[in-house]
Amino acid sequence: MTVSARDLAVLTRFSGRLFWRDRAAQSTSVGLFLGLGIGLPFLMDRLRPGRPDFVVDQHVGVLTMVLVLATFGQITITLTARRDQLLLKRMRATGLADRDILGGEVANLVVQGTGLAAVVSVALYALTSLPVPRDPLLYLLAVVAGAAVLCLLGTAFTAAVPRAELAAVMSMPVFLLSGFGAGGFGPLLQMAPEWVRAVFELLPSSAVAEVARVAYAADGSLVGDLQAAAVPALKLAVWAAVGLAATARWFRWEIRRP
Amino acid sequence: MAAIQVNGLRKSYGDFTAVRDISFEVPQGEIFALLGRNGAGKTTTMEVLAGFQAPDGGPGGGTVRVLGLDPVRDRARVRRSVGIMLQEAGFFPDLTVAQTVDAWRDFVAAPRPRDEALELTSLGSKAATRVRQLSGGEKRRLDLALAILSRPDVLFLDEPTTGMDPEARRRTWEVILDLARQGTTILLTTHYLEEAQRLASSMAIMDRGRIVAGGGMAETLAAQTGRVAFDLPLSVGVEELPVPGATLEGGTVVCRVTEPDLAAQTLLGWAGERGLRLRGLEVRTATLEDLFLDLSADEKNDERSGEKSGERNEREVV
């Protein structure tokens, strides 16, 4: 294990400890994740019994939406607060590399997001007619890659947030648009004009939902799955590159000097 | 090789130049004090040395080296050998003192044991206290504990004792002096001139981004005037005193002289011959405070003469 990998592991664990001490973070990132992630598909299952395809659509849409909340939203809030309180500056005063400080936060939220997605999925398998994904590995990849890319984008987004108090408000539109695009509010996008659908399909959250739907599709093969997931995977890769480049260019480690 | 080298450093923020062409060196194991009023450029200088800010681009920005390395380009290597006590930096308020130190021990290589760090900074009894419940002075001590965890070769201390009570301040001074005795090079900024005089072997006084005085502490102070002061006896005028340059400040005579002990002897002999007492007699050699006040007075005089010459020029123009 290289020194950097050790630091990354230390920081991931440290970020996790801080997260689980933060009641506000738990109520939004965990409470809303589980409440909406389980509640809405459960409701759909009761309203449309015997239609597991509806439950899959609802589950994937809502899961993508709450994943945005628990990754993009949470990292925006956490990093702007630590930036404004000069905690990031204090951490940089140690020998830790910048990439490890940010990487630890990203890794923690990816682990948490994946864990929460697992809890939601297992609860729905037990409580509703939601089937287990045909390709569970692809489903896992969609969640992990999606969480990582959304965290990177949230990290870059902090540069646009002038004060920590505005972080939640400013990340809310991203949460709502992602939910709309991924089908978290139902099949609203199908009623939108073609060009609107085309724009929403470019979102990273839509790519996550697309890969997850491939994993849940009743029919398919490994080769077919890989072909179907290639385009959304490419979209995620492009968004990851955008997130990394924007972070390298604009990320602020401390409050702006007057 | 000096542990810290600053050569022609210049740092600007937009149109504002915070540090203008300053140079100094700090040999290994020495304590160097950067002094000056708020906004003089001390913290900016320290932030450049700590690698948080880069000097201005181009050859006009100058160079800084810490342990022979560029603190911006080689930041990771420099930080492994450096401890930094920032003037302003947050803590995780819900962690206890012990949890904070434990977390930071994970962040640095070969850290001191937690108890040793807390003992050195007199925070042992606060180990179980949440950081949000600490006083300002206790937070500064925790700051110091984190800065010295990695047994650094170079220590940057920005206002290290601000908010501490006198006892804690003196204990902190002992820690700093001990570290220097063990070979740690220390650069500190402080508002407390007594602190700088007590700790530092060399210093620089900054004003508006420039170094306006500096050098070895002992040599610099030796070149300054000392002070003899006493209450002026009722029947005596200032002009009758046997020491030149005496001035009356309130009811107190103040003589600024290079050798205050000899001046005091002369004054006491003169008073004895006349059966006078010099009540409230104070004799002291030059202090940093005197130097600081002299520099401020010079600056005000310069400003006044600048204004007058400006007025004259205006009149001439008119």
Side-chain angles (χ1 to χ4, degrees):
Chain A
M1 185 183 273
T2 65
V3 173
S4 180
R6 188 203 81 93
D7 288 351
L8 190 64
V10 162
L11 284 158
T12 304
R13 199 180 61 209
F14 183 59
S15 295
R17 276 177 59 198
L18 293 172
F19 179 88
W20 291 104
R21 285 170 173 273
D22 183 347
R23 294 220 171 113
Q26 285 171 42
S27 63
T28 49
S29 274
V30 180
L32 266 181
F33 196 111
L34 296 178
L36 290 177
I38 297 171
L40 289 180
F42 182 80
L43 206 63
M44 179 61 77
D45 191 53
R46 290 292 177 274
L47 289 172
R48 300 268 182 102
R51 292 298 302 270
D53 51 330
F54 279 127
V55 183
V56 167
D57 273 347
Q58 180 78 72
H59 162 58
V60 169
V62 172
L63 184 74
T64 306
M65 187 168 76
V66 291
L67 200 61
V68 170
L69 191 73
T71 53
F72 183 96
Q74 186 59 48
I75 205 161
T76 303
I77 291 167
T78 302
L79 289 180
T80 48
R82 289 189 191 158
R83 177 193 69 195
D84 289 8
Q85 292 162 12
L86 296 176
L87 283 161
L88 292 179
K89 187 173 185 180
R90 180 182 289 288
M91 293 175 84
R92 284 182 103 201
T94 63
L96 295 169
D98 292 351
R99 63 175 183 278
D100 293 335
I101 295 173
L102 296 181
E105 196 56 47
V106 169
N108 170 54
L109 291 178
V110 169
V111 169
Q112 280 177 196
T114 307
L116 289 167
V119 172
V120 164
S121 304
V122 170
L124 291 175
Y125 303 146
L127 299 172
T128 69
S129 58
L130 181 73
V132 174
R134 179 181 46 77
D135 191 341
L137 187 61
L138 189 63
Y139 177 56
L140 178 68
L141 273 175
V143 172
V144 172
V149 172
L150 289 166
C151 280
L152 278 176
L153 291 169
T155 304
F157 183 65
T158 58
V161 182
R163 297 193 309 278
E165 307 91 81
L166 298 175
V169 175
M170 287 182 70
S171 56
M172 191 53 72
V174 178
F175 164 70
L176 294 173
L177 290 173
S178 299
F180 180 73
F185 302 116
L188 298 177
L189 196 60
Q190 289 170 17
M191 290 181 274
E194 181 64 32
W195 68 269
V196 174
R197 286 206 296 273
V199 169
F200 272 87
E201 277 171 12
L202 294 174
L203 294 178
S205 47
S206 301
V208 175
E210 219 176 317
V211 178
R213 285 197 176 98
V214 171
Y216 270 108
D219 302 316
S221 63
L222 179 64
V223 175
D225 285 355
L226 290 177
Q227 281 173 342
V231 173
L234 184 65
K235 283 183 207 164
L236 282 178
V238 170
W239 279 112
V242 168
L244 284 170
T247 300
R249 175 71 183 80
W250 288 298
F251 187 78
R252 284 187 285 124
W253 289 92
E254 50 187 290
I255 41 181
R256 195 172 271 138
R257 284 175 187 265
Chain B
M1 185 185 67
I4 297 171
Q5 295 168 297
V6 177
N7 188 14
L9 171 64
R10 188 180 182 89
K11 176 67 190 170
S12 308
Y13 301 103
D15 295 337
F16 174 68
T17 304
V19 175
R20 302 159 190 264
D21 194 27
I22 66 165
S23 302
F24 62 88
E25 290 193 348
V26 188
Q28 193 194 339
E30 279 206 8
I31 303 178
F32 186 96
L34 266 182
L35 307 168
R37 290 177 293 193
N38 290 337
K42 310 182 299 287
T43 295
T44 300
T45 303
M46 190 167 274
E47 295 220 332
V48 171
L49 282 165
F52 287 114
Q53 315 276 343
D56 284 354
T63 55
V64 296
R65 292 289 179 270
V66 175
L67 300 169
L69 300 167
D70 182 329
V72 174
R73 216 175 39 224
D74 306 310
R75 195 171 67 218
R77 284 173 68 194
V78 171
R79 291 272 168 83
R80 271 179 228 131
S81 310
V82 163
I84 304 169
M85 185 176 177
L86 297 159
Q87 189 181 129
E88 265 188 301
F91 290 103
F92 293 99
D94 292 327
L95 297 183
T96 65
V97 168
Q99 286 167 338
T100 302
V101 173
D102 283 343
W104 253 251
R105 289 184 74 248
D106 283 340
F107 297 163
V108 299
R112 291 176 195 274
R114 181 224 288 166
D115 291 346
E116 183 186 323
L118 294 182
E119 199 58 44
L120 275 172
T121 49
S122 309
L123 280 172
S125 62
K126 297 284 178 184
T129 305
R130 284 186 196 281
V131 172
R132 70 165 76 247
Q133 292 166 327
L134 295 179
S135 68
E138 287 165 345
K139 281 183 184 160
R140 284 316 269 159
R141 276 146 61 192
L142 179 56
D143 233 328
L144 181 62
L146 301 184
I148 62 175
L149 262 184
S150 62
R151 305 172 203 273
D153 295 324
V154 174
L155 193 54
F156 294 118
L157 305 175
D158 200 355
E159 307 282 354
T161 61
T162 300
M164 288 186 192
D165 60 54
E167 193 190 340
R169 179 171 296 148
R170 284 184 189 280
R171 279 205 301 265
T172 301
W173 290 352
E174 286 309 312
V175 173
I176 293 170
L177 286 167
D178 268 349
L179 289 167
R181 277 183 215 117
Q182 291 161 27
T184 307
T185 307
I186 298 169
L187 177 74
L188 72 93
T189 73
T190 180
H191 277 303
Y192 302 114
L193 300 174
E194 185 199 354
E195 179 167 288
Q197 196 170 337
R198 175 85 181 262
L199 298 177
S201 49
S202 319
M203 58 96 190
I205 297 180
M206 292 186 73
D207 184 47
R208 286 181 281 192
R210 289 195 173 86
I211 292 179
V212 292
M217 186 69 74
E219 299 81 24
T220 306
L221 293 181
Q224 294 299 309
T225 56
R227 185 176 187 271
V228 181
F230 53 91
D231 298 339
L232 185 65
L234 283 175
S235 56
V236 178
V238 183
E239 64 284 354
E240 295 173 53
L241 296 173
V243 177
T247 56
L248 199 58
E249 295 178 7
T252 305
V253 178
V254 178
C255 310
R256 291 197 167 79
V257 288
T258 48
E259 291 172 319
D261 53 334
L262 295 181
Q265 270 181 24
T266 307
L267 283 162
L268 286 167
W270 172 85
E273 285 167 11
R274 286 160 180 74
L276 297 171
R277 285 189 64 190
L278 301 183
R279 292 179 192 279
L281 178 66
E282 274 180 21
V283 183
R284 62 178 168 84
T285 52
T287 63
L288 260 183
E289 191 174 347
D290 297 326
L291 173 57
F292 212 78
L293 292 174
D294 284 352
L295 285 169
S296 297
D298 289 349
E299 189 190 320
K300 278 181 190 156
N301 289 338
D302 288 348
E303 278 171 11
R304 270 193 220 111
S305 61
E307 280 165 19
K308 277 181 187 162
S309 80
E311 284 166 18
R312 203 166 44 241
N313 289 341
E314 278 170 25
R315 278 199 291 273
E316 283 164 5
V317 168
V318 169

